Amino acid sequence: MVTGMVLPDLNLPNKHFVPEQFRADFPALHSESVYLDSAATALKPQVMIDATFAYYAQNTATAKRSLYQDALQVTTTIDKARQNVADLIHANSSTEIIWTRGATESINLIAQSYARPLLQPDDEIIVSELEHHSNLLPWLIVAKQTGAKVIKWSSDIDELSSLLSAKTKIVAITQMSNVTGFCPDLATISHIVHQHNAVLVVDGAQGIVHHALDVQQLNIDFYAFSAHKLYGPTGLGVLYGKPVLLKQMSVWHGGGKMLKSASFDDFIQEDIPYKFEAGTPNIAGILGFNATLQWLKSWDNKQAENYTKQLADYAKSQLNQLTDIQFYSVDSSPIITFNINNIHHNDIAILLSEQNIAIRTGELCAQPLMNKLGCHGAIRLSLMPYNNQQDVDKFILELQSAIEILV
């Protein structure tokens, strides 16, 4: 019997999506504030908070090292979490799942462990203009290191076919833009990319929250996302990779538990995924994320997403009644990005903040896309199933008041 560590009961029955019940699981919403910045980071359900608290309050055992019962329980739960992630994205095995510090580190790991040994001068990496800096800068860095070239791609599928060549080694694309909410056709893109024997890297940081994905069906080579955008903790990320690619990759970080043996002459690395997980993992984060993934199984996520889209459509219909508004986001997206002509986006954010309304403004970590859109920043509200019409109505009311002050 395991002693000293009590985790919350996560054997929750499957149920339909009920907005009020879903919202009640988020303690941060039990206030007068309105949270509309979920594309930056999602709020956390009580089960995640409880699981994290239980680890720190009742057990500080580490994983994959000690043999006492609490330590073994922690290791078992981390293994379950890895399998839950594999199930979430339909990976073939949990060994294809690597823990990282976030989507950013996951993509940097691909760039340094897979791409850097592979790339030769004049090889090409195609990167779409939709990308967050986390799916652009790692490729610029590795291109400088190897003499390869980063090729700009508009995300148009016809253009992709014309850009691909024998020089193309990697194509990097987001699952969902954090600026426009646009979701590329990954099935068609994957088919075209693999016809040219290139590797497809997908940044799922925004997309996994709203759209279920099957990495096997889509034939994705690498897939990265962060836990904190999927109701989980910060400082934890996932990298999925095809085993044939992961096995050929060199290790990036050295340290404890990523090796089988070591001497002053050399070392023998562990098998995948452990060879990429040097040092003590983010144990509390993984346990909290495992609780989150178990909790997500108790909701009908398709119903939740449909509800969010309806809420987004309502929000946009209200915004459309304003004058001098310019939209940058696609329709029926939980991400709505816009500007009010002749008013600086940050001025809007400051006035809304005074009314306890949280939104995001600025370049949204996507400067090249902002330049293409012809702006130097924008207002972004991002919705999740825990939002409701009252949130939107308060946002619209206070936005109108801010505009009246600023014009």
Side-chain angles (χ1 to χ4, degrees):
M1 179 178 179
V2 176
T3 60
M5 183 177 183
V6 179
L7 291 175
D9 182 9
L10 297 174
N11 294 318
L12 301 172
N14 291 327
K15 53 187 176 182
H16 294 297
F17 174 73
V18 181
E20 296 80 7
Q21 293 178 6
F22 189 88
R23 183 180 174 91
D25 282 350
F26 293 84
L29 292 172
H30 300 164
S31 67
E32 296 302 316
S33 62
V34 174
Y35 189 74
L36 299 171
D37 194 24
S38 295
T41 191
L43 298 179
K44 316 308 174 191
Q46 188 65 53
V47 293
M48 195 225 83
I49 298 167
D50 290 345
T52 305
F53 177 81
Y55 172 73
Y56 281 126
Q58 303 171 27
N59 181 339
T60 54
T62 191
K64 297 192 180 296
R65 287 160 173 83
S66 303
L67 297 178
Y68 53 94
Q69 289 299 308
D70 283 352
L72 293 175
Q73 178 63 43
V74 166
T75 299
T76 297
T77 306
I78 287 177
D79 290 339
K80 288 181 179 178
R82 202 188 299 270
Q83 184 60 55
N84 278 330
V85 172
D87 294 342
L88 176 70
I89 63 174
H90 302 278
N92 187 56
S93 168
S94 63
T95 61
E96 300 164 1
I97 306 300
I98 299 163
W99 298 119
T100 66
R101 292 183 298 171
T104 300
E105 183 173 82
S106 295
I107 297 170
N108 276 276
L109 172 58
I110 304 166
Q112 294 301 313
S113 290
Y114 173 75
R116 189 172 181 179
L118 167 78
L119 294 173
Q120 300 294 322
D122 294 327
D123 281 345
E124 294 179 350
I125 309 163
I126 296 176
V127 181
S128 92
E129 291 182 296
L130 299 173
E131 302 313 305
H132 187 283
H133 294 157
S134 293
N135 201 23
L136 171 62
L137 269 62
W139 306 118
L140 293 173
I141 292 169
V142 78
K144 289 183 178 180
Q145 292 168 335
T146 61
K149 298 177 181 178
V150 172
I151 306 298
K152 182 173 65 175
W153 165 40
S154 70
S155 78
D156 178 79
I157 290 178
D158 291 336
E159 183 190 14
L160 176 62
S161 298
S162 66
L163 291 175
L164 282 159
S165 71
K167 293 182 178 181
T168 307
K169 304 303 178 186
I170 296 165
V171 176
I173 182 73
T174 185
Q175 183 186 357
M176 178 180 182
S177 168
N178 73 309
V179 176
T180 68
F182 175 71
C183 296
D185 181 354
L186 292 180
T188 302
I189 290 169
S190 177
H191 178 71
I192 296 171
V193 168
H194 290 109
Q195 281 184 324
H196 290 78
N197 298 316
V199 163
L200 179 63
V201 177
V202 177
D203 176 3
Q206 293 294 333
I208 195 168
V209 182
H210 300 284
H211 305 285
L213 180 144
D214 187 326
V215 293
Q216 293 189 81
Q217 184 180 43
L218 292 173
N219 195 19
I220 292 173
D221 298 295
F222 291 107
Y223 183 72
F225 68 91
S226 296
H228 74 97
K229 295 184 190 291
L230 190 61
Y231 311 107
T234 57
L236 180 67
V238 166
L239 172 61
Y240 157 82
K242 288 181 179 177
V244 66
L245 301 177
L246 294 176
K247 288 176 182 178
Q248 75 184 54
M249 288 165 57
S250 59
V251 295
W252 186 27
H253 295 154
K257 306 308 291 183
M258 48 71 65
L259 56 97
K260 293 181 177 179
S261 64
S263 69
F264 275 90
D265 297 317
D266 203 354
F267 71 94
I268 299 175
Q269 64 189 20
E270 259 288 6
D271 298 327
I272 59 169
Y274 308 112
K275 72 176 186 177
F276 299 110
E277 297 177 352
T280 302
N282 181 355
I283 298 170
I286 296 172
L287 297 186
F289 193 42
N290 183 61
T292 302
L293 293 173
Q294 288 288 99
W295 166 82
L296 274 173
K297 293 178 182 180
S298 69
W299 298 101
D300 187 316
N301 292 303
K302 289 185 178 179
Q303 289 183 12
E305 184 58 22
N306 288 335
Y307 166 82
T308 308
K309 287 183 177 179
Q310 291 172 10
L311 196 60
D313 288 341
Y314 172 74
K316 194 162 186 180
S317 72
Q318 298 302 300
L319 286 168
N320 266 319
Q321 297 179 32
L322 302 177
T323 58
D324 296 324
I325 188 167
Q326 181 176 3
F327 290 102
Y328 306 106
S329 50
V330 298
D331 291 335
S332 297
S333 170
I335 292 174
I336 303 175
T337 314
F338 64 95
N339 270 321
I340 305 297
N341 293 338
N342 302 316
I343 297 179
H344 198 280
H345 46 271
N346 286 342
D347 292 338
I348 295 284
I350 292 169
L351 291 178
L352 291 182
S353 176
E354 292 176 354
Q355 304 303 320
N356 295 317
I357 298 176
I359 60 168
R360 175 75 187 276
T361 57
E363 295 177 320
L364 310 180
C365 297
Q367 290 180 5
L369 179 55
M370 285 291 177
N371 290 334
K372 181 180 180 180
L373 295 173
C375 62
H376 298 289
I379 301 163
R380 183 183 72 189
L381 68 149
S382 44
L383 297 161
M384 288 284 258
Y386 48 62
N387 290 118
N388 58 24
Q389 184 175 328
Q390 288 77 15
D391 291 338
V392 174
D393 288 341
K394 184 174 180 180
F395 166 75
I396 295 294
L397 179 64
E398 298 302 339
L399 175 62
Q400 289 172 326
S401 297
I403 292 171
E404 291 175 3
I405 293 171
L406 294 169
V407 291

